[in-house]
Amino acid sequence: MKRPRKRHDGTAGPAERPADRLADRLAGRKVLVTGATGFVGEALLHRLLTQVPGVTIAVLVRPKGTDSGVSRIRALVQKPIFAAAVEAAGGVDQLLDGRIEVVEGSLSDPPTLPTDLDAVVHCAGDVSFDPPVDQAFATNVVGVRNLLRQVAEVGPQVHYVHISTAYVAGRRKGPVPEGPVDQSVDLAAELSWGTAQRDVVEQRSRDAGRLARLRRKAEKAHGRAGMLAAAQAVEEDRRAWVNEELVRAGTERARALGWTDCYTFTKALGERVVESHAEHSPVSIIRPSIIESALQTPHPGWIEGFKMAEPLILAYGRGELPEFPAAPDTIVDIVPVDHVVAAVVAVLAEPREPGRPEWFHVSSGARRPLTFRQLYGGVRDYFDRHPFELGDRGATRLPEWHFPGVQAVERLLVTSERAHKVADYLVDHAPRADRTRDLARKLDRQRGRLEFLRRYLDLYREYAQAELTFSDTNTLALYRRLTPQDQQDFCFDAAVIDWDHYLGEVHCPAVTEPLRQYDVVRRQRRASATNAPVPLTGEAVDGVAAFFDMDGTLLSSNVIETYLWMRLQEMGPSERFAELTRIAARVPGLVRAERRDRSAFLRSIYREYAGARMADLDEIADDILTSHVLSRVSPAAVRRVREHRAAGHRTVLITGAIRPLTRALRPLFDHIEAADLAVDDRGVCTGFLEASPLVGESRAAWLRHWAAEQGIDVARSFAYADSQSDLPLLEVVGHPVAVRPDTTLFRHARKRRWPIVDWSSPTVASRSLAPAGEYG
């Protein structure tokens, strides 16, 4: 049976009688919603399904990964807020069959729309305040234009409802009317410029000078891990620069033309596209202010994801937002999401004529203004009553805001950023130690806070200084035309909001609860976590190997120290003193060389063996150094090696140390890959190596090659190392472990959630450079 249709002028057809209630006026209509998987779109879908039962809803949704549009909507309506609608329909399948039509496609290339549409509500869009400029234009301008072309194909009778933002008003001050934005921007020129920027910036990013600067920086930071690691860092930095430059280009162009950011700029241009469509079809433009959690529907505090205020509220509650660049009497215009979608439903039910859009501000500043001082007071009061707990340290200490002004806040942040940069440099160059790693952990946490503050203060500075009042005359008149019952069921009058109640009993509890739950889980994980490597239990398995570094991992030693172990044994007292003095003078230069190029550093040390007899070095290693080396080996490391052997794993020592120094460790390993000193036909060391030392990427390459020859599955294998230069080795295997790592490896391991272990040498281990206690 064909459903009755409303006439475009809003009057009833011959067999219909005008109705006052919104549900009655919308009965029999079919509404297409875009952005149904987003915050506003989901709330609108819920409201239509639960409170406007006579409406059929089409949703334009794009596939995502392996999920089709249908499967995404099926998953959406299984959320708790849709339980009543699912139950009323008799199940998810019945709800989809009877009330929801899924139209698969995207705004970049919208599909043909259903031909029986009465209205389209465009909720989709890029809501980030700082998107790359090409992305913002593609979504907020080109996407709107593409959608309207398909709407026009359905027919001029379709009522198009466009969800914009009140902040299209830009950087002006004072009252903002519900009407077109006063602008003289060349839409075609800006659209052409914005969509072309990625190609332009990509070309600039490949400039030889810029690449040279990025390469020098990357080689300085990552060269110890190898040139391929540095090259990867160069490309990552280049891509990051492209993204930052696209964001900066959009922001600067927007502000040059009078908007706060690229988001409001492109939303304003999107309205221009919509205004052209209004010449031939009915159009309404709804401009919400800052949309936050629901006041009542679906339930108080309902929110999906973090919006504009949540990061700041949570940071303040954690004591990490010391000030904010706003004037205390400036209005922060917040509106609950259920007010926005209620206004959308009311707009859908209103008759609308082609020729000129109707604008509606859904905001609170004109009817129930909230100042930044009130917002601060409400949030502070909530956290005074319900503080975040910091483990054993008790409740978080809340900052006290004095609203010193933008410049003072900026100076405070800049000073903190400079101090952190100096501290970070010192920690990066400090000797490795537990204290150094603890300082690195604290500095990483502080860096995260500073980056958060910089991002959000830069992002929200314009909004914090926006002295705007959005007139809501049209919206209030629309509300007053509703029946008394609809004014309760579809309330969007901001005058009903009690900000103290909303902040303290609705919004703050809603946005903090997920974080509180996460904190509980995190504390439980910390209490039970050992940060230990994967346990080696069960039956022995084949095809698995465990690779161990030596210096700094198995035993507390370094190349200079082990060189002195070997050479001082051959020298008399005066020679020993002279050698120690000579090496001590070289240490600063050797340290710098090791940071620049570990291969060259090792070669320079091994040149010192020139003239030594290989047989003598082996004899020293066997007769004098064996007990000393074993005394320096970590007991925990030995236990781990034996666990691997008991599990049937091949154990491999891979080191840049010379082979004589590994002789004491032969019983622990199935294979030892070490540096071999080249000798002449008399068995005398030439000062050169038989092959390049295994460092950085060459270790990783050797591991892959050896594993392939031996039938080893690297994905199931293990590696243990202590230095940034070992990163390529660790990244090859499925089970990497950082052992008393240097600062760079420590940070990388924490980021990748690799196990970090402390294999300390025995406390009685000698640090003597004369292990046997005698010379000659």
Side-chain angles (χ1 to χ4, degrees):
M1 178 177 177
K2 187 174 181 180
R3 61 187 176 87
R5 295 178 58 92
K6 297 283 185 178
R7 295 212 317 242
H8 169 62
D9 61 7
T11 62
E16 297 176 317
R17 184 168 52 86
D20 291 329
R21 296 294 306 276
L22 290 178
D24 294 332
R25 281 191 274 166
L26 289 170
R29 302 281 185 93
K30 186 171 185 177
V31 178
L32 175 79
V33 176
T34 71
T37 58
F39 181 42
V40 174
E42 182 178 341
L44 177 60
L45 181 62
H46 168 268
R47 185 64 71 101
L48 292 173
L49 288 173
T50 57
Q51 292 185 265
V52 192
V55 164
T56 301
I57 306 150
V59 289
L60 175 62
V61 59
R62 61 183 174 84
K64 189 174 184 180
T66 58
D67 293 330
S68 66
V70 172
S71 63
R72 292 184 69 193
I73 295 301
R74 176 180 293 275
L76 178 69
V77 298
Q78 292 182 68
K79 289 185 176 182
I81 65 168
F82 293 98
V86 171
E87 183 179 0
V92 171
D93 290 335
Q94 291 83 349
L95 179 64
L96 293 176
D97 291 341
R99 295 286 308 277
I100 302 174
E101 177 182 348
V102 178
V103 182
E104 294 208 13
S106 69
L107 293 176
S108 61
D109 185 20
T112 300
L113 303 181
T115 58
D116 56 346
L117 291 177
D118 295 290
V120 171
V121 182
H122 183 41
C123 300
D126 195 320
V127 297
S128 169
F129 291 159
D130 60 344
V133 62
D134 63 314
Q135 179 180 309
F137 270 91
T139 304
N140 294 336
V141 185
V142 177
V144 172
R145 184 183 63 186
N146 292 344
L147 177 63
L148 287 175
R149 286 174 178 167
Q150 292 300 325
V151 172
E153 290 294 320
V154 178
Q157 78 283 355
V158 178
H159 181 190
Y160 176 77
V161 180
H162 185 76
I163 310 300
S164 184
T165 173
Y167 288 93
V168 293
R171 305 175 86 181
R172 67 192 76 236
K173 296 181 182 293
V176 179
E178 294 167 295
V181 176
D182 184 15
Q183 55 169 292
S184 56
V185 175
D186 186 332
L187 173 60
E190 296 304 320
L191 182 57
S192 175
W193 171 83
T195 53
Q197 284 308 293
R198 182 165 294 274
D199 288 342
V200 172
V201 175
E202 284 283 356
Q203 288 294 325
R204 288 171 53 206
S205 75
R206 289 169 169 82
D207 172 75
R210 178 166 290 105
L211 289 176
R213 290 190 294 273
L214 293 175
R215 179 180 56 78
R216 286 193 294 268
K217 176 185 173 185
E219 289 177 358
K220 183 177 180 180
H222 305 281
R224 294 182 68 204
M227 291 299 103
L228 291 182
Q232 181 179 348
V234 170
E235 184 59 14
E236 289 173 356
D237 288 348
R238 186 196 67 81
R239 290 174 180 171
W241 181 87
V242 168
N243 189 74
E244 291 167 3
E245 198 67 8
L246 288 170
V247 170
R248 190 173 73 88
T251 300
E252 291 305 322
R253 184 56 183 157
R255 291 178 181 171
L257 293 171
W259 278 276
T260 55
D261 48 44
C262 192
Y263 167 68
T264 57
F265 172 42
T266 53
K267 291 295 280 187
L269 295 183
E271 284 196 13
R272 287 273 297 277
V273 176
V274 174
E275 289 167 16
S276 297
H277 180 78
E279 295 175 4
H280 309 288
S281 296
V283 167
S284 301
I285 297 176
I286 298 177
R287 292 174 176 164
S289 55
I290 300 169
I291 308 175
E292 294 293 347
S293 66
L295 183 63
Q296 291 292 338
T297 306
H299 57 76
W302 178 81
I303 191 169
E304 290 280 301
F306 281 175
K307 307 308 166 191
M308 182 170 179
E310 287 69 64
L312 304 180
I313 290 173
L314 295 174
Y316 179 79
R318 287 187 169 277
E320 298 172 354
L321 191 61
E323 277 291 356
F324 196 70
D329 57 355
T330 297
I331 294 173
V332 50
D333 203 306
I334 290 174
V335 62
V337 66
D338 48 342
H339 279 212
V340 176
V341 298
V344 172
V345 175
V347 166
L348 283 171
E350 287 276 306
R352 193 73 58 219
E353 294 293 334
R356 185 177 185 274
E358 191 79 18
W359 284 267
F360 300 90
H361 282 150
V362 186
S363 53
S364 61
R367 296 272 289 160
R368 185 70 74 190
L370 172 69
T371 67
F372 273 101
R373 177 170 288 282
Q374 289 175 289
L375 175 63
Y376 161 68
V379 172
R380 184 182 179 90
D381 177 70
Y382 169 77
F383 283 114
D384 277 336
R385 292 183 288 115
H386 308 285
F388 282 128
E389 298 292 333
L390 294 177
D392 297 336
R393 291 179 289 171
T396 303
R397 183 178 178 181
L398 298 174
E400 186 173 349
W401 286 3
H402 300 284
F403 297 97
V406 175
Q407 297 304 319
V409 174
E410 178 66 18
R411 284 195 299 271
L412 175 64
L413 181 55
V414 168
T415 301
S416 299
E417 288 170 333
R418 289 174 178 170
H420 181 274
K421 185 176 181 180
V422 172
D424 198 51
Y425 176 85
L426 294 174
V427 166
D428 271 347
H429 291 76
R432 74 176 70 180
D434 291 340
R435 178 171 175 78
T436 302
R437 285 186 284 273
D438 185 55
L439 288 172
R441 185 185 296 109
K442 292 177 179 177
L443 282 172
D444 289 347
R445 190 160 51 242
Q446 185 66 16
R447 178 191 291 112
R449 292 170 181 167
L450 290 173
E451 289 175 349
F452 168 87
L453 291 174
R454 171 56 66 194
R455 170 172 167 74
Y456 282 98
L457 293 185
D458 286 351
L459 205 59
Y460 293 165
R461 181 184 288 116
E462 291 283 333
Y463 295 89
Q465 299 176 79
E467 298 179 6
L468 299 171
T469 303
F470 302 112
S471 169
D472 60 356
T473 303
N474 293 345
T475 305
L476 185 59
L478 175 68
Y479 177 74
R480 287 173 174 166
R481 289 196 293 271
L482 300 181
T483 66
Q485 187 61 50
D486 276 343
Q487 288 183 357
Q488 291 185 32
D489 295 343
F490 296 89
C491 181
F492 52 93
D493 180 6
V496 306
I497 302 173
D498 178 339
W499 288 118
D500 290 337
H501 170 76
Y502 178 77
L503 293 171
E505 306 300 329
V506 176
H507 189 62
C508 287
V511 301
T512 58
E513 181 58 26
L515 191 58
R516 294 183 195 277
Q517 294 176 358
Y518 173 74
D519 283 346
V520 170
V521 173
R522 184 169 56 180
R523 284 194 292 269
Q524 292 172 344
R525 285 177 179 172
R526 285 177 177 173
S528 60
T530 61
N531 199 31
V534 176
L536 303 179
T537 58
E539 298 181 359
V541 294
D542 294 327
V544 176
F547 301 88
F548 293 82
D549 175 45
M550 189 176 84
D551 290 334
T553 301
L554 287 179
L555 66 155
S556 56
S557 61
N558 57 65
V559 172
I560 298 174
E561 188 176 14
T562 53
Y563 161 75
L564 291 172
W565 289 355
M566 297 290 292
R567 296 311 306 269
L568 294 184
Q569 307 302 319
E570 305 175 295
M571 299 178 181
S574 60
E575 292 176 306
R576 292 195 299 272
F577 179 78
E579 182 67 4
L580 286 170
T581 302
R582 186 178 69 86
I583 293 297
R586 290 189 62 195
V587 164
L590 290 171
V591 170
R592 289 192 297 271
E594 198 270 345
R595 285 182 172 274
R596 288 193 303 270
D597 186 339
R598 185 164 175 80
S599 292
F601 162 74
L602 291 176
R603 288 186 174 98
S604 69
I605 292 294
Y606 295 155
R607 290 292 289 269
E608 302 291 340
Y609 285 102
R613 294 181 59 84
M614 180 57 72
D616 293 341
L617 295 180
D618 287 340
E619 183 179 351
I620 291 170
D622 290 340
D623 296 345
I624 299 175
L625 294 185
T626 294
S627 61
H628 182 67
V629 169
L630 293 178
S631 74
R632 299 285 288 274
V633 175
S634 165
V638 174
R639 284 195 297 271
R640 189 63 174 176
V641 175
R642 288 173 175 165
E643 288 172 0
H644 279 290
R645 293 175 72 87
H649 301 169
R650 302 281 296 278
T651 55
V652 180
L653 179 65
I654 178 169
T655 177
I658 61 172
R659 191 169 297 279
L661 288 167
T662 69
R663 293 169 70 88
L665 302 174
R666 287 181 296 182
L668 292 172
F669 294 98
D670 299 305
H671 179 82
I672 293 178
E673 193 68 20
D676 289 305
L677 296 170
V679 295
D680 61 19
D681 54 7
R682 299 171 299 157
V684 177
C685 297
T686 64
F688 301 106
L689 296 173
E690 288 188 357
S692 299
L694 288 179
V695 297
E697 290 156 354
S698 63
R699 286 193 177 192
W702 178 89
L703 188 156
R704 291 190 187 95
H705 178 74
W706 185 87
E709 285 188 335
Q710 302 295 320
I712 298 297
D713 182 358
V714 294
R716 294 191 296 151
S717 294
F718 299 73
Y720 303 82
D722 69 306
S723 171
Q724 177 195 12
S725 62
D726 298 311
L727 267 174
L729 172 77
L730 292 169
E731 288 177 333
V732 170
V733 299
H735 302 290
V737 181
V739 182
R740 294 181 65 82
D742 60 22
T743 302
T744 303
L745 177 57
F746 174 73
R747 284 172 162 162
H748 189 88
R750 289 189 70 220
K751 183 178 180 181
R752 299 285 296 274
R753 300 186 182 278
W754 291 349
I756 300 173
V757 297
D758 185 357
W759 288 349
S760 301
S761 292
T763 55
V764 296
S766 169
R767 298 300 305 184
S768 171
L769 297 177
E774 54 183 301
Y775 299 90

